[in-house]
PDB file of all heavy atoms in Angstrom:
ATOM      1  N   THR A 117     119.524 101.509  95.361  1.00 95.00           N
ATOM      2  CA  THR A 117     120.525 100.441  95.377  1.00 95.00           C
ATOM      3  C   THR A 117     120.376  99.483  96.541  1.00 95.00           C
ATOM      4  O   THR A 117     121.004  98.420  96.548  1.00 95.00           O
ATOM      5  CB  THR A 117     121.936 101.057  95.460  1.00 95.00           C
ATOM      6  OG1 THR A 117     122.038 101.810  96.692  1.00 95.00           O
ATOM      7  CG2 THR A 117     122.208 101.980  94.291  1.00 95.00           C
ATOM      8  N   GLY A 118     119.598  99.833  97.534  1.00 97.00           N
ATOM      9  CA  GLY A 118     119.466  99.066  98.764  1.00 97.00           C
ATOM     10  C   GLY A 118     119.413 100.024  99.936  1.00 97.00           C
ATOM     11  O   GLY A 118     119.681 101.229  99.794  1.00 97.00           O
ATOM     12  N   ILE A 138     117.020  92.273  92.656  1.00 93.00           N
ATOM     13  CA  ILE A 138     118.253  91.745  92.095  1.00 93.00           C
ATOM     14  C   ILE A 138     118.394  90.265  92.435  1.00 93.00           C
ATOM     15  O   ILE A 138     118.599  89.417  91.565  1.00 93.00           O
ATOM     16  CB  ILE A 138     119.467  92.536  92.619  1.00 93.00           C
ATOM     17  CG1 ILE A 138     119.338  94.015  92.239  1.00 93.00           C
ATOM     18  CG2 ILE A 138     120.771  91.960  92.064  1.00 93.00           C
ATOM     19  CD1 ILE A 138     120.302  94.928  92.968  1.00 93.00           C
ATOM     20  N   ASP A 146     122.235  95.164 102.792  1.00 95.00           N
ATOM     21  CA  ASP A 146     123.352  94.394 102.271  1.00 95.00           C
ATOM     22  C   ASP A 146     123.432  93.010 102.891  1.00 95.00           C
ATOM     23  O   ASP A 146     123.294  92.838 104.107  1.00 95.00           O
ATOM     24  CB  ASP A 146     124.673  95.132 102.521  1.00 95.00           C
ATOM     25  CG  ASP A 146     124.956  96.186 101.453  1.00 95.00           C
ATOM     26  OD1 ASP A 146     124.079  96.428 100.605  1.00 95.00           O
ATOM     27  OD2 ASP A 146     126.064  96.770 101.479  1.00 95.00           O
ATOM     28  N   ASP A 150     126.098  90.628  98.208  1.00 93.00           N
ATOM     29  CA  ASP A 150     126.130  91.969  97.620  1.00 93.00           C
ATOM     30  C   ASP A 150     127.549  92.507  97.501  1.00 93.00           C
ATOM     31  O   ASP A 150     128.446  92.138  98.267  1.00 93.00           O
ATOM     32  CB  ASP A 150     125.322  92.950  98.472  1.00 93.00           C
ATOM     33  CG  ASP A 150     123.829  92.839  98.253  1.00 93.00           C
ATOM     34  OD1 ASP A 150     123.381  93.105  97.131  1.00 93.00           O
ATOM     35  OD2 ASP A 150     123.123  92.478  99.214  1.00 93.00           O
ATOM     36  N   VAL A 151     127.726  93.415  96.548  1.00 91.00           N
ATOM     37  CA  VAL A 151     128.951  94.212  96.497  1.00 91.00           C
ATOM     38  C   VAL A 151     129.022  95.060  97.758  1.00 91.00           C
ATOM     39  O   VAL A 151     128.016  95.665  98.151  1.00 91.00           O
ATOM     40  CB  VAL A 151     128.939  95.126  95.256  1.00 91.00           C
ATOM     41  CG1 VAL A 151     130.110  96.093  95.279  1.00 91.00           C
ATOM     42  CG2 VAL A 151     128.953  94.307  93.985  1.00 91.00           C
ATOM     43  N   PRO A 152     130.167  95.120  98.438  1.00 91.00           N
ATOM     44  CA  PRO A 152     130.252  95.983  99.625  1.00 91.00           C
ATOM     45  C   PRO A 152     129.849  97.417  99.290  1.00 91.00           C
ATOM     46  O   PRO A 152     130.285  97.989  98.292  1.00 91.00           O
ATOM     47  CB  PRO A 152     131.733  95.891 100.007  1.00 91.00           C
ATOM     48  CG  PRO A 152     132.188  94.579  99.479  1.00 91.00           C
ATOM     49  CD  PRO A 152     131.416  94.380  98.186  1.00 91.00           C
ATOM     50  N   GLY A 153     128.982  97.970 100.120  1.00 92.00           N
ATOM     51  CA  GLY A 153     128.523  99.335  99.900  1.00 92.00           C
ATOM     52  C   GLY A 153     127.332  99.448  98.983  1.00 92.00           C
ATOM     53  O   GLY A 153     126.919 100.569  98.648  1.00 92.00           O
ATOM     54  N   GLN A 154     126.745  98.335  98.574  1.00 94.00           N
ATOM     55  CA  GLN A 154     125.581  98.364  97.692  1.00 94.00           C
ATOM     56  C   GLN A 154     124.465  99.255  98.262  1.00 94.00           C
ATOM     57  O   GLN A 154     123.813 100.005  97.553  1.00 94.00           O
ATOM     58  CB  GLN A 154     125.061  96.939  97.489  1.00 94.00           C
ATOM     59  CG  GLN A 154     123.720  96.809  96.798  1.00 94.00           C
ATOM     60  CD  GLN A 154     123.782  96.957  95.295  1.00 94.00           C
ATOM     61  OE1 GLN A 154     124.743  96.555  94.668  1.00 94.00           O
ATOM     62  NE2 GLN A 154     122.751  97.551  94.716  1.00 94.00           N
ATOM     63  N   GLN A 155     124.285  99.219  99.576  1.00 96.00           N
ATOM     64  CA  GLN A 155     123.178  99.943 100.208  1.00 96.00           C
ATOM     65  C   GLN A 155     123.466 101.424 100.440  1.00 96.00           C
ATOM     66  O   GLN A 155     122.584 102.167 100.890  1.00 96.00           O
ATOM     67  CB  GLN A 155     122.865  99.301 101.559  1.00 96.00           C
ATOM     68  CG  GLN A 155     124.010  99.424 102.555  1.00 96.00           C
ATOM     69  CD  GLN A 155     123.887  98.523 103.767  1.00 96.00           C
ATOM     70  OE1 GLN A 155     122.924  97.769 103.909  1.00 96.00           O
ATOM     71  NE2 GLN A 155     124.857  98.596 104.657  1.00 96.00           N
ATOM     72  N   PHE A 156     124.666 101.886 100.129  1.00 96.00           N
ATOM     73  CA  PHE A 156     125.097 103.224 100.535  1.00 96.00           C
ATOM     74  C   PHE A 156     124.209 104.324  99.938  1.00 96.00           C
ATOM     75  O   PHE A 156     123.679 105.172 100.661  1.00 96.00           O
ATOM     76  CB  PHE A 156     126.550 103.446 100.117  1.00 96.00           C
ATOM     77  CG  PHE A 156     127.125 104.755 100.565  1.00 96.00           C
ATOM     78  CD1 PHE A 156     127.627 104.907 101.843  1.00 96.00           C
ATOM     79  CD2 PHE A 156     127.163 105.854  99.709  1.00 96.00           C
ATOM     80  CE1 PHE A 156     128.156 106.125 102.269  1.00 96.00           C
ATOM     81  CE2 PHE A 156     127.678 107.062 100.122  1.00 96.00           C
ATOM     82  CZ  PHE A 156     128.177 107.198 101.405  1.00 96.00           C
ATOM     83  N   LYS A 186     114.751  97.472  95.964  1.00 97.00           N
ATOM     84  CA  LYS A 186     116.173  97.440  95.583  1.00 97.00           C
ATOM     85  C   LYS A 186     116.249  97.011  94.119  1.00 97.00           C
ATOM     86  O   LYS A 186     116.046  95.842  93.786  1.00 97.00           O
ATOM     87  CB  LYS A 186     116.911  96.459  96.489  1.00 97.00           C
ATOM     88  CG  LYS A 186     118.386  96.274  96.192  1.00 97.00           C
ATOM     89  CD  LYS A 186     118.948  95.246  97.164  1.00 97.00           C
ATOM     90  CE  LYS A 186     120.372  94.861  96.844  1.00 97.00           C
ATOM     91  NZ  LYS A 186     120.862  93.810  97.789  1.00 97.00           N
ATOM     92  N   GLU A 188     118.727  98.611  91.672  1.00 91.00           N
ATOM     93  CA  GLU A 188     119.975  98.984  90.998  1.00 91.00           C
ATOM     94  C   GLU A 188     121.126  98.115  91.506  1.00 91.00           C
ATOM     95  O   GLU A 188     121.464  98.150  92.684  1.00 91.00           O
ATOM     96  CB  GLU A 188     120.282 100.461  91.245  1.00 91.00           C
ATOM     97  CG  GLU A 188     121.544 100.959  90.583  1.00 91.00           C
ATOM     98  CD  GLU A 188     121.473 100.900  89.067  1.00 91.00           C
ATOM     99  OE1 GLU A 188     120.367 100.975  88.509  1.00 91.00           O
ATOM    100  OE2 GLU A 188     122.546 100.785  88.433  1.00 91.00           O
ATOM    101  N   ASP A 189     121.730  97.328  90.619  1.00 87.00           N
ATOM    102  CA  ASP A 189     122.790  96.394  90.974  1.00 87.00           C
ATOM    103  C   ASP A 189     124.150  96.991  90.617  1.00 87.00           C
ATOM    104  O   ASP A 189     124.502  97.113  89.447  1.00 87.00           O
ATOM    105  CB  ASP A 189     122.577  95.080  90.233  1.00 87.00           C
ATOM    106  CG  ASP A 189     123.545  94.000  90.660  1.00 87.00           C
ATOM    107  OD1 ASP A 189     124.404  94.277  91.526  1.00 87.00           O
ATOM    108  OD2 ASP A 189     123.451  92.880  90.135  1.00 87.00           O
ATOM    109  N   LEU A 190     124.922  97.335  91.631  1.00 85.00           N
ATOM    110  CA  LEU A 190     126.230  97.940  91.389  1.00 85.00           C
ATOM    111  C   LEU A 190     127.253  96.932  90.871  1.00 85.00           C
ATOM    112  O   LEU A 190     128.286  97.324  90.342  1.00 85.00           O
ATOM    113  CB  LEU A 190     126.752  98.580  92.683  1.00 85.00           C
ATOM    114  CG  LEU A 190     125.904  99.700  93.277  1.00 85.00           C
ATOM    115  CD1 LEU A 190     126.610 100.287  94.492  1.00 85.00           C
ATOM    116  CD2 LEU A 190     125.618 100.786  92.255  1.00 85.00           C
TER     117      LEU A 190
END
Side-chain angles (χ1 to χ4, degrees):
T117 61
I138 301 167
D146 277 7
D150 281 297
V151 172
Q154 170 79 34
Q155 65 194 0
F156 184 83
K186 178 181 173 182
E188 181 64 27
D189 186 359
L190 299 184

